[in-house]
Amino acid sequence: MRSNMINDLRKPYGKHLVRRLSGLKDYFADAQAVRRILSKSDPIIYEVYEYDAPKKEEHLTFATTILYPGKIGRQSYFTKGHFHYRPDAAEVIVGIAGAGLVLLQDRHKRFETHPLKPQALIYSRPGRAHRVVNNSKRKLVFLSVCRADVRHDYETILKKGFKHINQ
Ligand code: PAN
Ligand code: ZN
């Protein structure tokens, strides 16, 4: 993105990431279902368009995530989910299209869920890991905004998981 304005957050901008099941296979609980699906295809679970901000504290970065509908075993498609490394930066998540859930969890496994829908705003306070789940039958699109020098800790979630939610 070169201009200072984005007219439509549902359209591509910045860096494009594509997250397929093969890259998320260890996050889903049903390993058999993962193997069965991967033997036939490698579905896209979500895509992210991320503004390429300078990684400095005075900047903000933001991303649009498109999370597709679907299930792996009994679990609906979700984003990997992560903590932010220190400084444990906060994040704002805003619904753009479709509906789902935001899961927030702190390092003591205190857990909250919030409905995500167009115009809903969820504040992931410092120290909260966040994951978004699409438990609907339509595409879920949301915006996230946080400080630009943030680094993602995926390891903790991969090892310890979120409190389990089956949809
Ligand atoms: C978001 C996420 C995005 C993809 O922009 O990075 O929704 O989710 P995962 O990073 O968990 O794969 C964000 O939380 N940024 O900090
Ligand atoms: Zn984040």
Side-chain angles (χ1 to χ4, degrees), residues 82-84 89-91 93 124 128 130 144 146 150 152:
H82 56 264
F83 285 95
H84 296 160
E91 181 159 322
I93 297 169
S124 177
R128 262 68 177 180
H130 31 272
S144 355
C146 64
V150 87
H152 295 166

Side-chain angles (χ1 to χ4, degrees), residues 80-84 88-89 93 101-114 122-133 153-165:
K80 290 180 183 178
H82 56 264
F83 285 95
H84 296 160
D88 257 347
I93 297 169
L101 290 173
V102 178
L103 318 184
L104 300 178
Q105 184 170 299
D106 72 12
R107 290 189 188 269
H108 307 287
K109 289 212 165 185
R110 275 187 297 250
F111 180 73
E112 297 163 37
T113 66
H114 298 280
I122 290 126
Y123 182 48
S124 177
R125 297 187 297 281
R128 262 68 177 180
H130 31 272
R131 165 177 286 168
V132 178
V133 181
D153 166 15
Y154 292 104
E155 280 299 300
T156 308
I157 294 299
L158 192 54
K159 280 194 205 129
K160 300 188 177 159
F162 267 85
K163 275 204 172 161
H164 212 75
I165 287 219

Side-chain angles (χ1 to χ4, degrees), residues 23-159:
L24 272 100
K25 58 182 167 40
D26 298 328
Y27 289 83
F28 287 101
D30 188 340
Q32 242 184 330
V34 168
R35 275 198 300 273
R36 198 173 50 243
I37 295 165
L38 285 179
S39 71
K40 293 181 202 136
S41 66
D42 189 3
I44 297 177
I45 310 292
Y46 56 100
E47 296 183 66
V48 184
Y49 293 97
E50 194 184 293
Y51 174 56
D52 200 10
K55 302 218 175 322
K56 295 185 172 171
E57 62 180 308
E58 66 269 30
H59 281 273
L60 292 173
T61 191
F62 52 89
T64 305
T65 304
I66 302 160
L67 178 56
Y68 293 98
K71 284 195 169 204
I72 307 296
R74 294 176 59 192
Q75 288 180 301
S76 298
Y77 284 9
F78 53 58
T79 59
K80 290 180 183 178
H82 56 264
F83 285 95
H84 296 160
Y85 284 113
R86 273 179 184 277
D88 257 347
E91 181 159 322
V92 162
I93 297 169
V94 180
I96 295 174
L101 290 173
V102 178
L103 318 184
L104 300 178
Q105 184 170 299
D106 72 12
R107 290 189 188 269
H108 307 287
K109 289 212 165 185
R110 275 187 297 250
F111 180 73
E112 297 163 37
T113 66
H114 298 280
L116 183 59
K117 55 187 180 188
Q119 297 175 48
L121 183 151
I122 290 126
Y123 182 48
S124 177
R125 297 187 297 281
R128 262 68 177 180
H130 31 272
R131 165 177 286 168
V132 178
V133 181
N134 185 351
N135 58 353
S136 79
K137 292 193 163 35
R138 292 176 50 215
K139 238 168 39 173
L140 171 61
V141 186
F142 61 92
L143 175 77
S144 355
V145 184
C146 64
R147 53 189 286 176
D149 60 351
V150 87
R151 288 190 305 122
H152 295 166
D153 166 15
Y154 292 104
E155 280 299 300
T156 308
I157 294 299
L158 192 54
K159 280 194 205 129

